[in-house]
């Protein structure tokens, strides 16, 4: 099964993709994560993407589609969860081509519907363990022991550079202008399923499970 998680920044795509990867033997393909890795490693792609990401704008369609193509090949035939990709009509069409070439197809596009003002609060409060990547939040999910990661005991945490209010507003605007308009492309094909992204992480997960299990 191959699915897209679609929704604005902070809608919970990464959280839900990580859960699906852990529970269903699918693989999370996050272009944001791939780009952050490229930036950290100082690759040519990373050097090109760094400033664009810091402004909250979109990296070129060619770069992200090439990254996805590489990961589809290296992840074997495992079902894919596309997280943060596609973000434009050109990427949506590129993805169809990438999948068709490999004899695969999309099963669902899961839209995480959310309230934008709440998202800014969600995003600007988030941080993660520097060692294992477990996600936390200033308001919603502090570590059980302050300053110590629940999962691995590390005491180092990081915040994404683009999780500040100004960049978040740009990322939202990019979503509205370029990503939301691709929904009809998938609606025409009957692939879109909407879930309430403002519900708790567990409730959203349950809604997604029901879709993937064919209950709705
Ligand atoms: P994310 O982690 O998905 O919020 O992505 C962080 C940033 O990486 C975005 O604000 C963009 O600058 C860039 N990015 C990630 N995925 C894409 C994509 N599919 N197309 C263009 N830019 C992307």
């Amino acid at each position: 099964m191959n699915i897209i998680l679609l929704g604005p920044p902070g809608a919970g795509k990464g959280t839900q993709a990580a859960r699906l990867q852990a529970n269903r033997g699918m693989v999370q393909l996050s272009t944001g994560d791939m780009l952050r890795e490229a930036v950290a490693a100082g690759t040519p792609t990373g050097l090109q993407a760094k400033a664009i990401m810091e402004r909250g704008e979109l990296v070129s369609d060619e770069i992200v589609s090439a990254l996805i193509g590489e990961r589809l090949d290296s992840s074997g035939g495992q079902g894919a969860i596309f997280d943060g990709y596609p973000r434009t009509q050109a990427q949506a069409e590129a993805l169809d081509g990438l999948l068709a070439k490999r004899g695969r197809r999309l099963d669902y596009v899961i839209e995480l519907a959310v309230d934008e003002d709440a998202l800014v609060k969600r995003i600007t409060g988030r941080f993660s363990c520097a060692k294992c990547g477990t996600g936390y939040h200033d308001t919603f999910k502090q570590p059980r022991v302050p300053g110590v990661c629940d999962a691995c005991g590390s005491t180092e945490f990081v915040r994404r550079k683009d999780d500040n209010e100004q960049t978040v507003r740009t990322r939202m605007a990019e979503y509205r202008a370029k990503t939301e308009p691709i929904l009809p492309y998938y609606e025409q094909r009957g692939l879109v399923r909407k879930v309430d992204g403002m519900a708790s992480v567990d409730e959203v997960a349950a809604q997604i499970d029901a879709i993937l299990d064919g209950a709705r």
Side-chain angles (χ1 to χ4, degrees), residues 200-214:
S200 71
V201 170
D202 287 342
E203 279 170 60
V204 176
Q207 289 182 35
I208 293 175
D209 282 339
I211 294 165
L212 301 190
D213 294 336

Side-chain angles (χ1 to χ4, degrees), residues 3-178:
I3 66 170
I4 295 173
L5 296 182
L6 200 77
K13 302 185 297 292
T15 302
Q16 295 299 334
R19 286 174 74 111
L20 290 170
Q21 173 164 284
N23 298 339
R24 286 183 181 256
M26 297 171 78
V27 58
Q28 174 183 9
L29 300 181
S30 157
T31 41
D33 286 347
M34 294 172 203
L35 289 166
R36 277 183 289 279
E37 281 164 24
V39 170
T43 66
T45 295
L47 293 175
Q48 242 178 301
K50 187 168 187 282
I52 299 171
M53 293 172 74
E54 281 173 11
R55 289 197 299 273
E57 294 167 9
L58 294 188
V59 172
S60 83
D61 293 330
E62 292 72 25
I63 287 182
V64 291
S65 295
L67 287 171
I68 287 286
E70 286 164 21
R71 287 298 165 99
L72 274 175
D73 290 333
S74 62
S75 62
Q78 265 174 300
I81 310 147
F82 298 100
D83 159 16
Y85 177 93
R87 265 174 153 99
T88 64
Q89 181 69 31
Q91 292 177 25
E93 289 169 20
L95 177 59
D96 282 339
L98 289 168
L99 288 172
K101 228 167 100 184
R102 291 161 179 81
R104 295 168 65 167
R105 66 181 173 85
L106 271 178
D107 293 282
Y108 294 110
V109 176
I110 297 178
E111 182 193 1
L112 294 160
V114 280
D115 169 75
E116 262 196 36
D117 285 328
L119 286 189
V120 175
K121 186 170 175 205
R122 260 198 203 177
I123 296 184
T124 53
R126 68 188 183 183
F127 62 99
S128 61
C129 172
K131 201 168 156 208
C132 72
T134 299
Y136 296 97
H137 194 281
D138 293 330
T139 313
F140 308 120
K141 192 191 165 204
Q142 284 281 355
R144 280 193 293 273
V145 178
V148 182
C149 176
D150 297 347
C152 77
S154 165
T155 53
E156 269 187 65
F157 296 88
V158 286
R159 281 176 198 267
R160 280 174 48 172
K161 224 173 170 173
D162 60 352
D163 277 351
N164 62 77
E165 178 153 1
Q166 196 192 343
T167 305
V168 169
R169 296 277 177 202
T170 306
R171 288 159 64 198
M172 299 279 181
E174 288 281 65
Y175 178 79
R176 263 196 313 270
K178 296 174 186 162

